[in-house]
Amino acid sequence: MFPAPFEYHRAGSVKEALSMLRQFGDDAKLLAGGHSLVPMMKMRLATPAHLIDIGSVRELSGIREEGGKIVIGAATTHAQVETSDLVRRKLGLLAECAALIGDVQVRNRGTLGGSLAHADPAADYPAAVLALDGEVSLESESGARTVKADDFFIDLMTTAAQPGEIVTAVRFTPPAPAAGYAYLKHRQPASGFALVGIAALVTLDGKGNFQSVRVGVTGLCAKAFRAKAVESALAGKGRDAIAQAAAHVTDGADALSDIHASSEFRSELARVYTRRALEQALARAKS
Amino acid sequence: MRVSLTVNGQRREDDIEPRTLLVHYLREVAGLTGTHVGCETSLCGACTVLMNGRAVKSCTTLAVQAEGAEITTVEGLARDGKFHPVQEGFWEEHGLQCGYCTPGMIMMATDLLSRNPDPSEAEIRAALEGNLCRCTGYQHIVNAVRYAANKMRAAKGA
Amino acid sequence: MPVIPKFVGERIKRREDPRLVSGTGTYVDDVKLVGMVSAMILRSPYPHAKIISIDVGKARAADGVVAVLTGEDLRGKIGSVPCVAPAERVPFHPVLALGKVRFVGEPVAVVVASNPYKAQDALDLLDVDYDPLDAVVDPEKAFDKDAPVIHEEFGTNLCMRSEVPNPQVDEAMRKADKVIKFRLVNQRLAPAPMEPRGVVAQWHPGLKQLTLWSSTQIPHLLRSQLAEMLKLGENHIRVIAPEVGGGFGCKLNVYPEEALVAYLAMTLNRPVKWIERRRENLAATTHGRDQITYLEVAAKKDGEVLGVKASFVCDMGAYLHLLTPAIPGFSGLMMTGCYKIPALAFEQKFAFTNKMSTDAYRGAGRPEAAYIAERVMDMVASEFGLDPADVRRKNFIPKEAFPAPTAGGLVYDSGDYNLALDKALAMVEYKKMRAEQEAARKQGRLIGIGISSYVEICGIGPSALLPPKLKGGGWESATVRIEPDSKVTVLTGISPHGQGQETTFAQLVADAFGIDIDDVVVVHGDTAQVQYGIGTFGSRGTTVGGPALMLTVQKLQDKMKKIASTMMEVPPDQLIFTERTIAMASDPSRSIPLQQVVDAAYGYKMPIPGVEPGLEEKTFYEPSACTFPFGTHVAVVEVDPETGVVKFLKYVAVDDCGKIISPLLVDGQVHGGIAQGIAQALYEEVVYDENGQLVTASLMDYAVPKADMLPHFDCANTITPSPVNMLGVKGVGEAGTIGSTPCAVNAVLDALKPFGIRHLDMPLKPEKIWNALRNAKKA
């Protein structure tokens, strides 16, 4: 309940934050909303000597359209994403997912960048960002780069972000307006995290069959991933193929196990929720 | 380090350790003990306050993160000696027993009603996801929030 | 002058609430004293280990640290944490571990520092060298020959074995058409009040007086026990229970921290505060339930139950807390529920394990009993293909039979079990729901209807029923004082912490004296203000505290009538209290203002023969018997066959708590009780892994239900007054918890019935249901 002492630094810009990161190295942690980091600090599971607060860096916050893409600043809160007209219109899946993260208070403080950088295996956002083919913008003193969501999540609490890099934004190409989507999660009853969370995004061809399918999965394994076996099993197929295809969500998956769900049950939940998410996405899609 | 923020309409400047959680700042520095601590995992919501009008868990926010912010605690809701409609609702509908979760519940409900003036029972229950109550079984809390919603809408209409 | 309304039986807003909704109530953590320092406790990370050494050097030298103490520093200075309930083997229970730790969370050392941040910094610098030992986790294996022994001095982990034999049970088994055998588990639960525990202690060296604020349900009993532990006179200790943020039984106890913080304040000569963190609360505040029961039920084809035989294994945890070994007794005695089951026999074995102690948790033994009785009824119905409602009717104690002696040796005060059942079935539209269930089953939907008709024991009771070593009895006390300005002060020995007796008692007093409710102040929870009292637990606040209050009110009324009688020249027995006056019953226009009578009593300028000055009376009320609230709950649930998720379609509760003083508060008590009962049925479970490590160590893993995990409750009452007390009340604090657990479980199992699933142990989490369905489909 009582964090260890640290030195606090408020960064006014990304540039300043990066220079602080260089200066303090491994002893420093970035703080945005703090909803992943502060709980760890209260338990003293994290005891950074320096905290670099990027919560008030203007350039990191906000939602804008840029060259046909939607760019969401890393320090944008879940609540801002959930309620943004732009996101609701063009990235409905992301808004739907944001609305199911944690609780209202968490959504009012927690940030998109913070959630992705923390890479909790039961976080909701990664599923939707994977399904939407988001691109994570990273910046370091040596320059900026973009990592596709598919390549961003490496392992349990591990991402492609390197020391000295800051997640600055996530970019999305809006799916076709006719696309259908759904984010469904099975809540862990105590924590509210996803025992399993499935994000499905589909487009249909003229016959009403699947043209493209993207499925993001969280909670099931140590890292969030795309269920490519499900996606390919559905290409060109119709509603009847969903049940069988959804079963592939666990192909090669090394499912987590804890007191809330064994790996077997998690796997079954993943199959059921994948099917339901795809059915719902299909029902919302227009040919 | 120095923080300056507004608490219940009053501007304050205080010297604090950077590690001070907002809830401890409010309780120990500002002397406002209406905001409670019920867990250390950001789950129970007893510490909920409004930060720039939005409900946040003050146990998961460092006081330094509230620099320049406007904080409202349960002590700051009443106006001219009269309870806020949400406070009144909790009293009227027996929305509390031991009272420990109540300030957090009231602040959360205040946030909800500012965004959704006429929430359904399901919407109220969903909005209270981050606030645990062990006494009431939540039903009278739902009634309390509805009471407040009706009262606030009636006041606006009038 | 406006007419003063009557308050009893009306929907009255609580008088506690204005301070609580405005954030101006004072809980322990809100107590601030000059020079106060913070204590923090280092707890064992091991379930069972020898303490080789504790290095306190770095911690003592840390910034802001005032003191660091270990168990060795306290040897011989603080007595054992008390258990007053009888047991064959009662281990010494040190305030800080001595030589060995016996559960995860056991206090090992304490750090006192200028603030909690610095205390935590110093705590991190303590270095304890442990030698881990094998742990006893499963109570059924605690008695194995090769099980590690937790308390060496006993050479066994058997705390006690008790037996209530009955040869008639064997006879019943012979007569039965079928003897149904099964095993039930009432899993371990964490009471988890929203306010964790907390203690502030202040020592006044000149007066040699200790003031201790504690989040407790029993300020006086705590004072008595502290006096013993600290070797101080009771008249040198003042215990204050300020606002208490829920207790549910876990604050009906005496904890190491209470004595420790007091000792620290006395030896450091400055105020000390200790506030429990939630993780400590889940690890080191008493747990509830944790009983395993093997049952044999003798039943006839028509649903009649002839006898029940039970064998219990009850998990005590590592040490015995205040009432730990007393709780399971209620489970045995109340096991026959609302039913005229003629023969009951049971045996109970109490095991020490490397876990936190169990003790009272809302219902304390009776939820376990009701769970057994109501699972028995459903098992019998299922065995013979009968309707569960009919089986209950068949076995109910008929209303003509009250006061009704039971196979457990108790005498139920009053009841009409059919009335509550019929009302609940009507509210839920039972026949219609059964038809809908049938139709739904044909579509592959799993709908279940669960019934639970419960009875429980409250208002305990005659003092002889309480443990001999308990300083207090089953009585309760009240002082009523009419102040010189006619305002009334009530001092009650109960210690409400959410139940609302500041309101219900004010209702009673206001009506009795014909005054406004705002003229009454109810004081509780301060041993320096209030005469000795027993506290609030076991739904006794109004059931025992209420009659104590009303007997006192009567004494005052008698005295005031005597005074008025001399002033009005009307015989006292012809006077009544109404509208701030004392009036002649037959002619209310002949009256005298209450204030004039009060003035006469206090001014005493005209001595009244045989009447002392002043207006204050006191009663210590010993109840003649216990009360037995009852009711029927019915739930309709739907189970998702793919995920095992349970959804409530309806929840109906009909509770009979006798006469109702405050209907709004009765509903509130029932709602909260149902929530906790459903939580046991579906969500909550304290989990220790096979090594004894606590897995549900935070609210991230211990699932206290949230608003959207509970249904809307449809509540009603039947009113069968208790003949035991002058108010006709039975108690309502625990009823909801007791009725709801079997109701929810029976509903889920009813939904699963087509699959031949006979029983599943709580909590009925989705995975358990999914697994059972999968296995059933395979078979």
PDB file of all heavy atoms in Angstrom, chain A residues 2 43-44 188 190 260-262 264-265 268 275-276, chain C residues 120-121 124 279 640 642-643 700-701 706 767 770 774:
ATOM      1  N   PHE A   2       2.154   1.097   0.294  1.00  0.00           N
ATOM      2  CA  PHE A   2       3.007   2.279   0.440  1.00  0.00           C
ATOM      3  C   PHE A   2       4.241   2.125  -0.448  1.00  0.00           C
ATOM      4  O   PHE A   2       5.149   1.375  -0.107  1.00  0.00           O
ATOM      5  CB  PHE A   2       3.411   2.443   1.904  1.00  0.00           C
ATOM      6  CG  PHE A   2       2.224   2.496   2.827  1.00  0.00           C
ATOM      7  CD1 PHE A   2       1.775   1.343   3.475  1.00  0.00           C
ATOM      8  CD2 PHE A   2       1.529   3.679   3.018  1.00  0.00           C
ATOM      9  CE1 PHE A   2       0.672   1.382   4.305  1.00  0.00           C
ATOM     10  CE2 PHE A   2       0.418   3.726   3.849  1.00  0.00           C
ATOM     11  CZ  PHE A   2      -0.019   2.571   4.490  1.00  0.00           C
ATOM     12  N   MET A  43       2.725  -2.685  -3.945  1.00  0.00           N
ATOM     13  CA  MET A  43       3.123  -4.000  -3.412  1.00  0.00           C
ATOM     14  C   MET A  43       4.645  -4.106  -3.298  1.00  0.00           C
ATOM     15  O   MET A  43       5.161  -5.131  -2.886  1.00  0.00           O
ATOM     16  CB  MET A  43       2.662  -5.126  -4.347  1.00  0.00           C
ATOM     17  CG  MET A  43       1.201  -5.110  -4.652  1.00  0.00           C
ATOM     18  SD  MET A  43       0.296  -5.764  -3.286  1.00  0.00           S
ATOM     19  CE  MET A  43      -1.197  -6.207  -4.128  1.00  0.00           C
ATOM     20  N   ARG A  44       5.318  -3.095  -3.763  1.00  0.00           N
ATOM     21  CA  ARG A  44       6.781  -3.076  -3.849  1.00  0.00           C
ATOM     22  C   ARG A  44       7.300  -4.210  -4.727  1.00  0.00           C
ATOM     23  O   ARG A  44       8.408  -4.708  -4.536  1.00  0.00           O
ATOM     24  CB  ARG A  44       7.416  -3.086  -2.452  1.00  0.00           C
ATOM     25  CG  ARG A  44       6.936  -1.861  -1.662  1.00  0.00           C
ATOM     26  CD  ARG A  44       7.858  -1.443  -0.561  1.00  0.00           C
ATOM     27  NE  ARG A  44       7.418  -0.147  -0.007  1.00  0.00           N
ATOM     28  CZ  ARG A  44       8.096   0.558   0.859  1.00  0.00           C
ATOM     29  NH1 ARG A  44       9.255   0.133   1.304  1.00  0.00           N
ATOM     30  NH2 ARG A  44       7.635   1.710   1.299  1.00  0.00           N
ATOM     31  N   GLN A 188     -12.679 -12.656 -15.213  1.00  0.00           N
ATOM     32  CA  GLN A 188     -12.255 -13.307 -13.977  1.00  0.00           C
ATOM     33  C   GLN A 188     -13.066 -12.591 -12.896  1.00  0.00           C
ATOM     34  O   GLN A 188     -13.063 -11.363 -12.836  1.00  0.00           O
ATOM     35  CB  GLN A 188     -10.744 -13.082 -13.809  1.00  0.00           C
ATOM     36  CG  GLN A 188     -10.093 -14.002 -12.812  1.00  0.00           C
ATOM     37  CD  GLN A 188      -9.897 -13.297 -11.469  1.00  0.00           C
ATOM     38  OE1 GLN A 188     -10.868 -12.863 -10.852  1.00  0.00           O
ATOM     39  NE2 GLN A 188      -8.658 -13.200 -11.037  1.00  0.00           N
ATOM     40  N   ALA A 190     -13.043 -11.982  -9.752  1.00  0.00           N
ATOM     41  CA  ALA A 190     -12.473 -11.103  -8.732  1.00  0.00           C
ATOM     42  C   ALA A 190     -11.822  -9.879  -9.357  1.00  0.00           C
ATOM     43  O   ALA A 190     -12.151  -8.745  -9.031  1.00  0.00           O
ATOM     44  CB  ALA A 190     -11.469 -11.873  -7.878  1.00  0.00           C
ATOM     45  N   HIS A 260      -8.697 -19.773 -11.236  1.00  0.00           N
ATOM     46  CA  HIS A 260      -9.936 -19.293 -11.840  1.00  0.00           C
ATOM     47  C   HIS A 260     -10.314 -20.098 -13.075  1.00  0.00           C
ATOM     48  O   HIS A 260     -11.483 -20.145 -13.448  1.00  0.00           O
ATOM     49  CB  HIS A 260      -9.823 -17.811 -12.183  1.00  0.00           C
ATOM     50  CG  HIS A 260      -9.508 -16.988 -10.978  1.00  0.00           C
ATOM     51  ND1 HIS A 260     -10.422 -16.781  -9.987  1.00  0.00           N
ATOM     52  CD2 HIS A 260      -8.361 -16.377 -10.575  1.00  0.00           C
ATOM     53  CE1 HIS A 260      -9.863 -16.051  -9.023  1.00  0.00           C
ATOM     54  NE2 HIS A 260      -8.624 -15.814  -9.353  1.00  0.00           N
ATOM     55  N   ALA A 261      -9.362 -20.701 -13.711  1.00  0.00           N
ATOM     56  CA  ALA A 261      -9.651 -21.542 -14.868  1.00  0.00           C
ATOM     57  C   ALA A 261      -8.437 -22.393 -15.193  1.00  0.00           C
ATOM     58  O   ALA A 261      -7.331 -21.865 -15.317  1.00  0.00           O
ATOM     59  CB  ALA A 261     -10.029 -20.687 -16.076  1.00  0.00           C
ATOM     60  N   SER A 262      -8.681 -23.680 -15.341  1.00  0.00           N
ATOM     61  CA  SER A 262      -7.606 -24.574 -15.769  1.00  0.00           C
ATOM     62  C   SER A 262      -7.330 -24.289 -17.239  1.00  0.00           C
ATOM     63  O   SER A 262      -8.116 -23.623 -17.921  1.00  0.00           O
ATOM     64  CB  SER A 262      -8.053 -26.021 -15.606  1.00  0.00           C
ATOM     65  OG  SER A 262      -9.104 -26.280 -16.530  1.00  0.00           O
ATOM     66  N   GLU A 264      -7.536 -26.334 -19.585  1.00  0.00           N
ATOM     67  CA  GLU A 264      -8.611 -26.988 -20.352  1.00  0.00           C
ATOM     68  C   GLU A 264      -9.840 -26.099 -20.478  1.00  0.00           C
ATOM     69  O   GLU A 264     -10.428 -25.960 -21.538  1.00  0.00           O
ATOM     70  CB  GLU A 264      -9.041 -28.252 -19.612  1.00  0.00           C
ATOM     71  CG  GLU A 264      -8.483 -29.523 -20.155  1.00  0.00           C
ATOM     72  CD  GLU A 264      -9.202 -30.703 -19.529  1.00  0.00           C
ATOM     73  OE1 GLU A 264      -9.238 -30.744 -18.281  1.00  0.00           O
ATOM     74  OE2 GLU A 264      -9.725 -31.534 -20.280  1.00  0.00           O
ATOM     75  N   PHE A 265     -10.248 -25.535 -19.325  1.00  0.00           N
ATOM     76  CA  PHE A 265     -11.451 -24.709 -19.331  1.00  0.00           C
ATOM     77  C   PHE A 265     -11.206 -23.412 -20.091  1.00  0.00           C
ATOM     78  O   PHE A 265     -12.054 -22.949 -20.843  1.00  0.00           O
ATOM     79  CB  PHE A 265     -11.900 -24.426 -17.897  1.00  0.00           C
ATOM     80  CG  PHE A 265     -13.184 -23.652 -17.802  1.00  0.00           C
ATOM     81  CD1 PHE A 265     -14.335 -24.110 -18.453  1.00  0.00           C
ATOM     82  CD2 PHE A 265     -13.260 -22.473 -17.091  1.00  0.00           C
ATOM     83  CE1 PHE A 265     -15.536 -23.406 -18.367  1.00  0.00           C
ATOM     84  CE2 PHE A 265     -14.455 -21.759 -17.003  1.00  0.00           C
ATOM     85  CZ  PHE A 265     -15.590 -22.224 -17.644  1.00  0.00           C
ATOM     86  N   GLU A 268     -11.563 -24.130 -23.612  1.00  0.00           N
ATOM     87  CA  GLU A 268     -12.961 -24.285 -24.019  1.00  0.00           C
ATOM     88  C   GLU A 268     -13.632 -22.914 -24.100  1.00  0.00           C
ATOM     89  O   GLU A 268     -14.390 -22.636 -25.037  1.00  0.00           O
ATOM     90  CB  GLU A 268     -13.707 -25.179 -23.013  1.00  0.00           C
ATOM     91  CG  GLU A 268     -15.172 -25.410 -23.335  1.00  0.00           C
ATOM     92  CD  GLU A 268     -15.409 -26.161 -24.643  1.00  0.00           C
ATOM     93  OE1 GLU A 268     -14.432 -26.738 -25.182  1.00  0.00           O
ATOM     94  OE2 GLU A 268     -16.550 -26.151 -25.144  1.00  0.00           O
ATOM     95  N   ARG A 275     -16.341 -18.519 -31.225  1.00  0.00           N
ATOM     96  CA  ARG A 275     -17.521 -18.778 -32.052  1.00  0.00           C
ATOM     97  C   ARG A 275     -18.551 -17.661 -31.871  1.00  0.00           C
ATOM     98  O   ARG A 275     -19.069 -17.109 -32.844  1.00  0.00           O
ATOM     99  CB  ARG A 275     -18.145 -20.122 -31.668  1.00  0.00           C
ATOM    100  CG  ARG A 275     -19.130 -20.639 -32.707  1.00  0.00           C
ATOM    101  CD  ARG A 275     -20.019 -21.727 -32.140  1.00  0.00           C
ATOM    102  NE  ARG A 275     -21.013 -21.145 -31.270  1.00  0.00           N
ATOM    103  CZ  ARG A 275     -21.332 -21.617 -30.061  1.00  0.00           C
ATOM    104  NH1 ARG A 275     -20.728 -22.685 -29.582  1.00  0.00           N
ATOM    105  NH2 ARG A 275     -22.249 -21.009 -29.347  1.00  0.00           N
ATOM    106  N   ARG A 276     -18.802 -17.319 -30.625  1.00  0.00           N
ATOM    107  CA  ARG A 276     -19.825 -16.293 -30.372  1.00  0.00           C
ATOM    108  C   ARG A 276     -19.406 -14.930 -30.927  1.00  0.00           C
ATOM    109  O   ARG A 276     -20.230 -14.192 -31.462  1.00  0.00           O
ATOM    110  CB  ARG A 276     -20.096 -16.188 -28.867  1.00  0.00           C
ATOM    111  CG  ARG A 276     -20.806 -17.422 -28.340  1.00  0.00           C
ATOM    112  CD  ARG A 276     -21.056 -17.337 -26.835  1.00  0.00           C
ATOM    113  NE  ARG A 276     -21.703 -18.544 -26.352  1.00  0.00           N
ATOM    114  CZ  ARG A 276     -22.008 -18.764 -25.068  1.00  0.00           C
ATOM    115  NH1 ARG A 276     -21.718 -17.843 -24.155  1.00  0.00           N
ATOM    116  NH2 ARG A 276     -22.604 -19.884 -24.707  1.00  0.00           N
TER     117      ARG A 276
ATOM    118  N   GLN C 120       6.881   0.676   6.399  1.00  0.00           N
ATOM    119  CA  GLN C 120       7.018  -0.315   5.325  1.00  0.00           C
ATOM    120  C   GLN C 120       8.480  -0.391   4.865  1.00  0.00           C
ATOM    121  O   GLN C 120       8.998  -1.482   4.621  1.00  0.00           O
ATOM    122  CB  GLN C 120       6.099   0.048   4.154  1.00  0.00           C
ATOM    123  CG  GLN C 120       6.170  -0.918   2.981  1.00  0.00           C
ATOM    124  CD  GLN C 120       5.550  -2.272   3.283  1.00  0.00           C
ATOM    125  OE1 GLN C 120       4.376  -2.369   3.571  1.00  0.00           O
ATOM    126  NE2 GLN C 120       6.363  -3.319   3.231  1.00  0.00           N
ATOM    127  N   ASP C 121       9.148   0.769   4.763  1.00  0.00           N
ATOM    128  CA  ASP C 121      10.569   0.769   4.374  1.00  0.00           C
ATOM    129  C   ASP C 121      11.374  -0.097   5.343  1.00  0.00           C
ATOM    130  O   ASP C 121      12.216  -0.894   4.926  1.00  0.00           O
ATOM    131  CB  ASP C 121      11.156   2.197   4.409  1.00  0.00           C
ATOM    132  CG  ASP C 121      10.525   3.107   3.357  1.00  0.00           C
ATOM    133  OD1 ASP C 121       9.869   2.584   2.432  1.00  0.00           O
ATOM    134  OD2 ASP C 121      10.688   4.343   3.484  1.00  0.00           O
ATOM    135  N   ASP C 124      10.799  -3.893   5.131  1.00  0.00           N
ATOM    136  CA  ASP C 124      11.527  -4.527   4.030  1.00  0.00           C
ATOM    137  C   ASP C 124      12.969  -4.858   4.414  1.00  0.00           C
ATOM    138  O   ASP C 124      13.619  -5.642   3.727  1.00  0.00           O
ATOM    139  CB  ASP C 124      11.537  -3.607   2.796  1.00  0.00           C
ATOM    140  CG  ASP C 124      10.148  -3.445   2.182  1.00  0.00           C
ATOM    141  OD1 ASP C 124       9.239  -4.207   2.564  1.00  0.00           O
ATOM    142  OD2 ASP C 124       9.975  -2.553   1.327  1.00  0.00           O
ATOM    143  N   ARG C 279      -4.539  -7.372   2.199  1.00  0.00           N
ATOM    144  CA  ARG C 279      -3.849  -8.669   2.100  1.00  0.00           C
ATOM    145  C   ARG C 279      -3.710  -9.303   3.483  1.00  0.00           C
ATOM    146  O   ARG C 279      -3.807 -10.518   3.629  1.00  0.00           O
ATOM    147  CB  ARG C 279      -2.478  -8.509   1.441  1.00  0.00           C
ATOM    148  CG  ARG C 279      -2.577  -8.112  -0.030  1.00  0.00           C
ATOM    149  CD  ARG C 279      -1.201  -7.857  -0.622  1.00  0.00           C
ATOM    150  NE  ARG C 279      -0.483  -9.086  -0.880  1.00  0.00           N
ATOM    151  CZ  ARG C 279      -0.583  -9.775  -2.025  1.00  0.00           C
ATOM    152  NH1 ARG C 279      -1.358  -9.338  -2.983  1.00  0.00           N
ATOM    153  NH2 ARG C 279       0.083 -10.888  -2.196  1.00  0.00           N
ATOM    154  N   ASP C 640     -25.599 -21.632 -18.511  1.00  0.00           N
ATOM    155  CA  ASP C 640     -25.114 -21.673 -19.898  1.00  0.00           C
ATOM    156  C   ASP C 640     -24.424 -23.022 -20.095  1.00  0.00           C
ATOM    157  O   ASP C 640     -23.382 -23.281 -19.483  1.00  0.00           O
ATOM    158  CB  ASP C 640     -24.137 -20.513 -20.121  1.00  0.00           C
ATOM    159  CG  ASP C 640     -23.608 -20.463 -21.545  1.00  0.00           C
ATOM    160  OD1 ASP C 640     -23.548 -21.527 -22.198  1.00  0.00           O
ATOM    161  OD2 ASP C 640     -23.242 -19.356 -21.988  1.00  0.00           O
ATOM    162  N   GLU C 642     -22.652 -24.209 -22.302  1.00  0.00           N
ATOM    163  CA  GLU C 642     -21.324 -24.194 -22.919  1.00  0.00           C
ATOM    164  C   GLU C 642     -20.244 -23.686 -21.989  1.00  0.00           C
ATOM    165  O   GLU C 642     -19.096 -24.099 -22.079  1.00  0.00           O
ATOM    166  CB  GLU C 642     -21.345 -23.306 -24.164  1.00  0.00           C
ATOM    167  CG  GLU C 642     -22.145 -23.909 -25.290  1.00  0.00           C
ATOM    168  CD  GLU C 642     -21.994 -23.079 -26.556  1.00  0.00           C
ATOM    169  OE1 GLU C 642     -22.136 -21.841 -26.476  1.00  0.00           O
ATOM    170  OE2 GLU C 642     -21.734 -23.669 -27.608  1.00  0.00           O
ATOM    171  N   THR C 643     -20.595 -22.751 -21.129  1.00  0.00           N
ATOM    172  CA  THR C 643     -19.568 -22.123 -20.286  1.00  0.00           C
ATOM    173  C   THR C 643     -19.770 -22.389 -18.798  1.00  0.00           C
ATOM    174  O   THR C 643     -18.899 -22.067 -17.994  1.00  0.00           O
ATOM    175  CB  THR C 643     -19.579 -20.592 -20.471  1.00  0.00           C
ATOM    176  OG1 THR C 643     -20.864 -20.094 -20.056  1.00  0.00           O
ATOM    177  CG2 THR C 643     -19.329 -20.202 -21.918  1.00  0.00           C
ATOM    178  N   MET C 700      -7.852  -9.431  -5.904  1.00  0.00           N
ATOM    179  CA  MET C 700      -7.674  -9.813  -7.307  1.00  0.00           C
ATOM    180  C   MET C 700      -8.026 -11.286  -7.502  1.00  0.00           C
ATOM    181  O   MET C 700      -8.258 -11.725  -8.621  1.00  0.00           O
ATOM    182  CB  MET C 700      -6.222  -9.601  -7.747  1.00  0.00           C
ATOM    183  CG  MET C 700      -5.775  -8.163  -7.746  1.00  0.00           C
ATOM    184  SD  MET C 700      -6.496  -7.219  -9.089  1.00  0.00           S
ATOM    185  CE  MET C 700      -5.342  -7.608 -10.416  1.00  0.00           C
ATOM    186  N   ASP C 701      -8.016 -12.044  -6.407  1.00  0.00           N
ATOM    187  CA  ASP C 701      -8.292 -13.479  -6.520  1.00  0.00           C
ATOM    188  C   ASP C 701      -9.434 -13.952  -5.636  1.00  0.00           C
ATOM    189  O   ASP C 701      -9.978 -15.025  -5.861  1.00  0.00           O
ATOM    190  CB  ASP C 701      -7.024 -14.281  -6.190  1.00  0.00           C
ATOM    191  CG  ASP C 701      -5.999 -14.189  -7.310  1.00  0.00           C
ATOM    192  OD1 ASP C 701      -6.352 -14.521  -8.449  1.00  0.00           O
ATOM    193  OD2 ASP C 701      -4.867 -13.749  -7.053  1.00  0.00           O
ATOM    194  N   LYS C 706     -19.578  -8.301  -7.056  1.00  0.00           N
ATOM    195  CA  LYS C 706     -19.825  -6.921  -7.479  1.00  0.00           C
ATOM    196  C   LYS C 706     -21.305  -6.768  -7.818  1.00  0.00           C
ATOM    197  O   LYS C 706     -22.033  -7.759  -7.912  1.00  0.00           O
ATOM    198  CB  LYS C 706     -18.958  -6.622  -8.706  1.00  0.00           C
ATOM    199  CG  LYS C 706     -17.489  -6.742  -8.387  1.00  0.00           C
ATOM    200  CD  LYS C 706     -16.624  -6.889  -9.621  1.00  0.00           C
ATOM    201  CE  LYS C 706     -15.189  -7.144  -9.153  1.00  0.00           C
ATOM    202  NZ  LYS C 706     -14.297  -7.429 -10.254  1.00  0.00           N
ATOM    203  N   GLU C 767     -16.390 -23.372 -14.243  1.00  0.00           N
ATOM    204  CA  GLU C 767     -15.583 -24.526 -14.643  1.00  0.00           C
ATOM    205  C   GLU C 767     -16.101 -25.823 -14.033  1.00  0.00           C
ATOM    206  O   GLU C 767     -16.130 -26.871 -14.675  1.00  0.00           O
ATOM    207  CB  GLU C 767     -14.114 -24.325 -14.256  1.00  0.00           C
ATOM    208  CG  GLU C 767     -13.279 -25.556 -14.591  1.00  0.00           C
ATOM    209  CD  GLU C 767     -11.793 -25.288 -14.671  1.00  0.00           C
ATOM    210  OE1 GLU C 767     -11.362 -24.180 -14.316  1.00  0.00           O
ATOM    211  OE2 GLU C 767     -11.070 -26.206 -15.097  1.00  0.00           O
ATOM    212  N   TRP C 770     -19.209 -26.782 -15.904  1.00  0.00           N
ATOM    213  CA  TRP C 770     -18.826 -27.208 -17.259  1.00  0.00           C
ATOM    214  C   TRP C 770     -18.237 -28.625 -17.221  1.00  0.00           C
ATOM    215  O   TRP C 770     -18.587 -29.484 -18.023  1.00  0.00           O
ATOM    216  CB  TRP C 770     -17.805 -26.207 -17.824  1.00  0.00           C
ATOM    217  CG  TRP C 770     -17.151 -26.663 -19.086  1.00  0.00           C
ATOM    218  CD1 TRP C 770     -17.700 -26.704 -20.327  1.00  0.00           C
ATOM    219  CD2 TRP C 770     -15.804 -27.174 -19.222  1.00  0.00           C
ATOM    220  NE1 TRP C 770     -16.801 -27.190 -21.231  1.00  0.00           N
ATOM    221  CE2 TRP C 770     -15.618 -27.483 -20.583  1.00  0.00           C
ATOM    222  CE3 TRP C 770     -14.757 -27.377 -18.334  1.00  0.00           C
ATOM    223  CZ2 TRP C 770     -14.418 -28.002 -21.077  1.00  0.00           C
ATOM    224  CZ3 TRP C 770     -13.569 -27.889 -18.819  1.00  0.00           C
ATOM    225  CH2 TRP C 770     -13.400 -28.193 -20.172  1.00  0.00           C
ATOM    226  N   ARG C 774     -19.707 -31.958 -18.920  1.00  0.00           N
ATOM    227  CA  ARG C 774     -18.886 -32.672 -19.886  1.00  0.00           C
ATOM    228  C   ARG C 774     -18.789 -34.147 -19.505  1.00  0.00           C
ATOM    229  O   ARG C 774     -18.952 -35.033 -20.331  1.00  0.00           O
ATOM    230  CB  ARG C 774     -17.496 -32.034 -19.916  1.00  0.00           C
ATOM    231  CG  ARG C 774     -16.618 -32.563 -21.017  1.00  0.00           C
ATOM    232  CD  ARG C 774     -15.350 -31.784 -21.108  1.00  0.00           C
ATOM    233  NE  ARG C 774     -14.620 -31.834 -19.847  1.00  0.00           N
ATOM    234  CZ  ARG C 774     -13.293 -31.749 -19.773  1.00  0.00           C
ATOM    235  NH1 ARG C 774     -12.572 -31.600 -20.867  1.00  0.00           N
ATOM    236  NH2 ARG C 774     -12.687 -31.792 -18.602  1.00  0.00           N
TER     237      ARG C 774
END
